[in-house]
Amino acid sequence: GRGDQSFNDSAAAGLDQAVEEFGIEAEELEPDEGGENRQELLQLLCDNQTDLIIGVGFLYSESMAAVADNCPDSTVAIVDDAANDLPNLANLVFAEEQGSFLVGAAAALTTETDHVGFIGGVNIELINKFEAGFAAGVAAIDPAITVDVEYLTEPPDFDGFNDPGRGREVATSMYEGGADVIYAAAGGSGGGVFEAAVTAREGGTNVWAIGVDSDQYNTADPAVQDVILTSMLKQVNVAVYNTIAAAVAGEEVGGQTTVFDLSVDGVGYSTSGDFLSEETIAQLEDLKAQIVAGDIEVPTVPEG
């Protein structure tokens, strides 16, 4: 649902833009806390003859494929997973590892302790891509920098995406252990990481946090803005908006997988707050160009 100041809010922004520009009718449904009724809600939209049904997040994968098969007259799209190759199913995926590589490089260029951290919401393949890219970006600047890694929960427990208290606890431990830049790919739990950074700053330690998905300098509580070095931008809003725009234009949306990577600015990094120096930005842009050109191949699986 809305309100995570990150992934879901970005998707909602794309929907809101499309509603405003195209005058379409949009219905939003939110699953219950455990998500057991995802397929029921998708089927309800199908039964209501909804033209385009968008499931936001990989957790919709199994349900989306089943509903797409049951609803040949509706086009369905899933954000963050390639659920199936059904002719009426659009898969909208991202090169998270590429954007994470750039913020990893930013962390390496910023750290004063040669010690940084990564906090993942749930230890799954998707979030492993963020970790792999981040660690590779750090190593590209200085392979001697220490990278702490911790996940908040293990599947099938997905609470790690919405547990700010746990995020704050883990981040506090990392900061106390010497990390001075932490990248959190943990959805709503990232708010706790920002709070831990503020507390560390108040204690006299110069630390930073890196946001994810949205430009969290602009979406987070203003009280934590000054600790958000940058954010890894994952243009979920663009994916949602473009898919709706194509459907409105009468284009065929289903039956294909669209990858949003650095070459189309589907991922990237933010500069809000002006905390990244011009020299750092120049280095990040050079690395971006090398990735787009294929000179740097960013891993999608963590080492070890």
Side-chain angles (χ1 to χ4, degrees):
R2 294 180 186 243
D4 67 346
Q5 301 176 346
S6 184
F7 183 84
N8 289 316
D9 280 350
S10 180
L15 173 66
D16 292 343
Q17 180 185 357
V19 168
E20 181 177 351
E21 291 189 15
F22 304 126
I24 58 174
E25 180 183 348
E27 181 177 3
E28 291 183 48
L29 300 178
E30 185 175 333
D32 55 33
E33 188 172 345
E36 292 86 357
N37 65 335
R38 287 190 186 91
Q39 185 165 332
E40 177 185 340
L41 296 180
L42 293 170
Q43 189 64 49
L44 176 64
L45 292 172
C46 168
D47 294 342
N48 289 340
Q49 298 182 319
T50 306
D51 296 314
L52 174 63
I53 303 169
I54 301 176
V56 181
F58 69 91
L59 289 173
Y60 280 93
S61 180
E62 184 176 344
S63 302
M64 186 64 71
V67 170
D69 201 28
N70 292 337
C71 300
D73 295 331
S74 295
T75 298
V76 298
I78 182 167
V79 178
D80 245 8
D81 194 27
N84 211 299
D85 59 358
L86 294 169
N88 62 327
L89 174 59
N91 302 297
L92 313 175
V93 297
F94 298 81
E96 295 93 352
E97 72 282 359
Q98 293 183 355
S100 297
F101 182 99
L102 295 181
V103 298
L109 291 165
T110 302
T111 180
E112 298 175 351
T113 62
D114 288 340
H115 191 166
V116 301
F118 172 84
I119 296 176
V122 183
N123 189 5
I124 55 175
E125 185 175 315
L126 173 63
I127 306 303
N128 293 159
K129 291 171 64 181
F130 291 80
E131 177 198 341
F134 179 74
V138 172
I141 301 300
D142 185 354
I145 293 175
T146 299
V147 182
D148 292 337
V149 175
E150 188 158 349
Y151 286 87
L152 302 182
T153 60
E154 298 285 331
D157 181 359
F158 289 93
D159 290 345
F161 290 127
N162 193 29
D163 191 346
R166 179 62 177 153
R168 182 170 55 250
E169 177 186 346
V170 172
T172 297
S173 177
M174 280 191 181
Y175 287 133
E176 291 177 346
D180 63 350
V181 185
I182 295 177
Y183 174 36
S189 300
V193 177
F194 299 151
E195 293 171 2
V198 170
T199 299
R201 283 267 188 98
E202 292 172 345
T205 306
N206 186 34
V207 303
W208 294 97
I210 296 175
V212 73
D213 295 336
S214 299
D215 183 350
Q216 294 199 278
Y217 178 87
N218 292 326
T219 63
D221 187 324
V224 304
Q225 280 184 323
D226 287 346
V227 301
I228 302 177
L229 176 67
T230 181
S231 296
M232 195 287 279
L233 302 178
K234 182 173 171 180
Q235 306 288 25
V236 182
N237 59 318
V238 174
V240 171
Y241 173 83
N242 285 2
T243 301
I244 297 173
V248 169
E251 298 175 15
E252 190 64 46
V253 173
Q256 55 190 318
T257 297
T258 303
V259 180
F260 296 86
D261 60 13
L262 279 178
S263 69
V264 295
D265 290 323
V267 293
Y269 65 96
S270 66
T271 57
S272 300
D274 295 326
F275 299 131
L276 297 177
S277 68
E278 291 184 7
E279 181 181 353
T280 294
I281 292 173
Q283 289 182 259
L284 298 183
E285 288 301 305
D286 180 60
L287 291 169
K288 175 182 174 179
Q290 292 183 60
I291 294 171
V292 172
D295 296 330
I296 294 177
E297 185 173 347
V298 183
T300 58
V301 178
E303 293 184 359

